Amino acid sequence: MATTTAAALQDPLGAFRQMNMNQRLTWLAGLAALIALVIVTLMWTSRLDYQVLYTNLSERDGGAVIGELQKLNIPYRITGGGAVIEVPSAQVYATRMKLAANGLPKGAGVGFEVLDHEPMGTSQFVERVNYQRALEGSLGRTIESLSAVQSATVHLAIPKPSVFLSEAEKPSASVLLKLYPGRVLSGAQVAGIVHLVSSAVAGLGDKNVSVVDQDGNLLTSGQRADSGIQPDQLMYRNTIEQQYRKQIEALLAPLVGNEGVRVAVSADIDFAKTESSSVVYGQGHLLSQQQQSTNSSGGGTLPAGVPGALSNQPPGGVTAPFVMGTASAPLTPQQLTQITPSLKTLAPTAASSSATSNYDLDKTVSHTQQPVGSVKRLSVSVLVNDQAKGGKPVPLSAAQLGQMKQLVENAIGFDAKRGDTVSIVNMPFTAAQKEAEKQLPLWRQAWVWDGVRQAVPYVIALILGLMAYRAMRKATSGDVKAKRRKGKEAAELDETAREETPSDGMQKSSGPGAGAEMAASGVPGALAPDTVQLSNTLETDAAISRELVKQDPRRAAQVVKEWLSDGQ
């Protein structure tokens, strides 16, 4: 068999010619199946993997994009009822860059490209209108880049500048958003859109921007309400809670496993901004003492007061004897000396006295500013699963739970004065919860299916190749078996002829001319082997063949061998 297969591989055309009709059909069918399998495999492995290029384009932009793809000789296909344009995954990013260089897709509105080809002599009004259109279109395109926004339309009301401050008006803006089905915008995203629009227009404040969705809902109503809660505050609170939760899970995971603990943290954050100033004096502790006293007295002063009867009063009493001189008899020096004391008592006098005492005490002046975002109170809840021992879940002991609680309190900086609470509960987890938390099984992994998809064509080709090889091997082995069977039959006939040949008289007639001699001698039933007349019936031909074999068995065996060697 090995010799026959090797000969067929060395001379396939000769081997094919020696086959009968059934063998030839089998070989041709196997060859055709192998060629078809190779073609299918090549088509399967070389087929293009398409990826989304653009979605939800307008009819104008979609037509422009398809026309440009045809110019660039890039294969594409349209899916999703005409809403999705796909190109080969290996050319997605390069194609987007090429289309962007050509200004595609342009979008629903116009951008600043409207100012690229303004004719000369354009009036100021037209320039202002074109600038406003360009600004609106540019803002709309920017807002559409958000993942939840399908399309955006921006309207700006920009008043004409005035030289009078009293008549100056502030600009305003309105934004219409069309969201994708099932998508919503958070408060922080709406605030971002409002801030984006207000920052693009000079003099536009956040309060003058209105945002409405496709259902007519005013999205900026919550921004105008003074609720006192800002998105940054909520984000900061979530960050604090997540940080504490990760710390606790990392601390307890080595004890109960990653899947055996669940932690929930609630943090009360103080976002109030507080500033305080205080002055504190020491009690009964005198640092220093200083006293100052001033006394003064003087003679008469000039008349003073309000002019009139109240200030025009006669002088005080005069001490007798007091003799006034006259022009004819002036006072002598002795008389002046006598009346001097009386004159002093008549003159007005002035005196003053003041005292000052200074005391320095212990004084402390402090200015305190409380930090924003401090933790006022923490509440921690920990759920621990039972431990598996001997294949059975065993609950934790009270001592173990107490140790875990102590670890959690130390990890979060437990403070009983501010009202922190820590609760640890040991309960068995349900099987459904464990099953949901397990990783995806191997047969659902994406890489497994990718490998199967790549290997299926080759496996099919291998199976069909083995089937074709088996069919060819079977046909070849059938031919060899038939030849062996004919050889065996010839050997049996030769052995039978030897056994039936007499030992004496028949030896003389064992030569090639024995049959002719028998026929010439007139032996009854003898037939001339060179002149055998066959009939049209199978029984008669079989009887003649048996008679020839009996007459000359060796020659009959030789004829059968020649038949086998000729492939008949």
Side-chain angles (χ1 to χ4, degrees), residues 296-302 344 347-351:
S296 62
S297 61
T301 60
L302 296 175
K344 290 181 178 181
T349 59

Side-chain angles (χ1 to χ4, degrees), residues 532-545:
V532 177
Q533 300 294 331
L534 298 177
S535 62
N536 293 332
T537 60
L538 180 61
E539 293 79 3
T540 305
D541 295 341
I544 294 174
S545 299

Side-chain angles (χ1 to χ4, degrees), residues 1-5 476-493 560-561 563-565 567-568:
M1 175 183 170
T3 305
T4 306
T5 306
T476 307
S477 62
D479 190 9
V480 173
K481 289 180 180 179
K483 291 183 178 180
R484 288 182 177 179
R485 186 174 62 254
K486 292 180 180 180
K488 186 176 181 181
E489 292 177 354
E492 291 178 354
L493 291 174
V560 173
K561 290 181 179 181
W563 288 351
L564 293 177
S565 62
Q568 296 180 357

Side-chain angles (χ1 to χ4, degrees), residues 376-523:
K376 295 173 60 178
R377 182 173 178 271
L378 285 176
S379 299
V380 180
S381 299
V382 181
L383 179 62
V384 182
N385 189 19
D386 292 344
Q387 298 300 302
K389 293 183 179 180
K392 297 182 179 180
V394 178
L396 299 177
S397 62
Q400 292 176 332
L401 293 178
Q403 293 175 354
M404 290 183 181
K405 184 176 181 180
Q406 185 65 30
L407 290 175
V408 173
E409 290 179 353
N410 295 335
I412 66 173
F414 180 82
D415 189 0
K417 295 182 180 180
R418 66 183 183 184
D420 294 350
T421 58
V422 176
S423 175
I424 298 181
V425 179
N426 175 215
M427 296 183 68
F429 289 3
T430 60
Q433 178 70 14
K434 293 181 180 180
E435 186 66 24
E437 293 174 355
K438 287 182 180 178
Q439 295 183 355
L440 291 176
L442 183 63
W443 61 273
R444 295 186 62 183
Q445 298 290 339
W447 64 271
V448 175
W449 287 106
D450 291 340
V452 170
R453 175 176 171 270
Q454 297 293 335
V456 162
Y458 300 100
V459 173
I460 295 176
L462 180 61
I463 293 174
L464 293 179
L466 291 177
M467 292 175 63
Y469 174 74
R470 184 177 179 183
M472 292 185 293
R473 182 179 178 182
K474 185 176 181 181
T476 307
S477 62
D479 190 9
V480 173
K481 289 180 180 179
K483 291 183 178 180
R484 288 182 177 179
R485 186 174 62 254
K486 292 180 180 180
K488 186 176 181 181
E489 292 177 354
E492 291 178 354
L493 291 174
D494 193 6
E495 185 67 23
T496 304
R498 290 178 181 178
E499 293 177 356
E500 294 179 355
T501 302
S503 59
D504 48 0
M506 292 299 295
Q507 293 179 357
K508 296 180 180 180
S509 60
S510 59
E517 293 177 357
M518 292 176 62
S521 61
V523 178

Side-chain angles (χ1 to χ4, degrees), residues 289-295 353-359:
Q289 179 178 0
Q290 181 180 3
Q291 294 182 353
Q292 182 179 0
S293 177
T294 303
N295 295 320
S353 177
S354 63
T356 302
S357 299
N358 296 326
Y359 301 94

